Amino acid sequence: MDLPHLNELETLRALIAESPIPIGLYVGPEMHIAVVNKAILQTWDRDESVIGKTFHDALPELNSQPFEKLLEQVYSTGVAYHASEDRVDLVVGGKLQIFYFNFTYQPLKYKNGKVWGILNTATDVTAQVMARQKLVEAEERLRLALDSADLGTWSINAHTKKTFPSARTKELFGFESDEEMSFEASINAVAEDYRDKVIATIDRAFTEGGSYDTEYPIINVRNGKQRWVRSTGKVYYDADNKPNNFSGVIMDITDRKEEEIRKNDFIAMVSHELKTPLTSIKSYIQISLIKVKKQGDEFLENALSKADKQIVKMTKMIRGFLDLAKLESGKISIQPEQFDIELLVKETVNDIQFISDSHFFEVTGCGPLMVNADRYKIGQVIENFLSNAMKYSPKETIIEVKCNVADNHAVVSVVDKGIGVKQKDQEKLFNRFYRVDNDIIKNVAGFGIGLYIAGEIIQLHNGRIWVESEEFEGAIFSFSLPLAQA
Ligand code: ADP
């Protein structure tokens, strides 16, 4: 075997031994292992007895793998081989295991260019490769789940608004999978009546964070057909806590939405039809009341005024359903005017006391507070808070109505001493048809639409609505509205 100058080999041996990187030096065409360091012995799970053996004999499990051939090739051509994340199956701990290495077979040459050995350096990248494989598998599973649920995905860069829709998302909007779909194009595809609302919801997600969940119709740019979609997403932040990207999923909900619209139309029609006979019953009762008062029949007068109160209750229920239908079809609008909210609070308390005298009302802290809002609809919100306070607290307890100013907003709160609301239910109270699931609530009449309508009304005024409560400790329902500019 031809060997280089002995001094040269000794220098190499010292360098290799010190290196924390696994290194081996093989000499001659048979690849005799001349030098190895601790790191490579550890990688191979062998001891120093491999020194002097051929690569073939020292690592028999590699015989059926491509490495001997590669070494031969480097030896004969003098051209180095660089492997990137190559799989190497090694017997470690007594069993054959899979590893991944970045490694180099570097030819070592005499001055005349003839190769005399190969320097093998290696880095174990098994952990990275495995982690990436797991990620790829997870992505694959996610893609399968998305495909089988017919979900599209999207992502919007917070800075550039560049949009990255999946093929399914593009298909929903009417774009081919290889066609570009910009942020503007996706907004323009939203049905006109809903466009401003969608833009405002996206802006809110960017400025306020949290999650985003909205439903709207889109007009397919290719065939002009309308489909309803539900889009849910979340804003992700960078290390400086600035919005980085906004991404989520989108799904076709046309069938469900059309069913809902039919149901809504039906509720609206029934409620509307009920209003007319109810109005005439009310006027008959009122005329009869006037007559009976003159005749002095106390029993009849009492019965008729009770009937009158029941009619007021029923009219309110029907109004609730009509409002719900209007909200669902996006037809509710605000007619703002300047008014004093204190006066409205007092009027509403008086109205409610007319229907029932079961509780004591206390209005505190209100001075004249001017707001610019829809007086009638804000009255509805206060009324809903008051009637809930009555429904969900024991008779003859006090219901307090407070007004405050905070951060340039008027805040109205209704405080009761009733059954309260558990923390976990509090967010959901403002959802459509949500009623807390317990025996007390089951025995109280209601449809779970009052707070939903209240929430939507307050949102249309750019206000806030919330509840503070503990179970069995009473509840404070509040809303805030921007104060009118002086
Ligand atoms: P409804 O009272 O007709 O069920 P709402 O939408 O007004 O509908 O209220 C939704 C639910 O919120 C109620 O069913 C009840 O569970 C809960 N809730 C509302 N107000 C109160 C209150 N003051 N105290 C305790 N629970 C309340």
Side-chain angles (χ1 to χ4, degrees), residues 339 341 344 348 371 373-383 457-458 461 479 481:
F339 65 90
I341 205 157
L344 181 65
T348 319
V371 291
D374 189 316
R375 193 176 196 276
Y376 175 74
K377 292 201 172 67
I378 298 301
Q380 265 177 265
V381 176
I382 301 172
E383 195 184 303
I457 291 175
I458 296 299
H461 284 85
F479 69 83
L481 289 177

Side-chain angles (χ1 to χ4, degrees), residues 286-320:
Q286 281 181 339
I287 296 166
S288 308
L289 250 174
I290 296 168
K291 285 204 158 180
V292 163
K293 267 185 193 153
K294 279 186 196 149
Q295 288 164 1
D297 186 331
E298 237 177 77
F299 172 77
L300 260 187
E301 189 184 331
N302 193 17
L304 282 172
S305 62
K306 278 197 175 135
D308 192 35
K309 284 175 186 169
Q310 293 303 324
I311 295 283
V312 173
K313 269 194 186 167
M314 209 162 155
T315 312
K316 284 192 175 143
M317 280 184 207
I318 290 172
R319 191 188 63 195

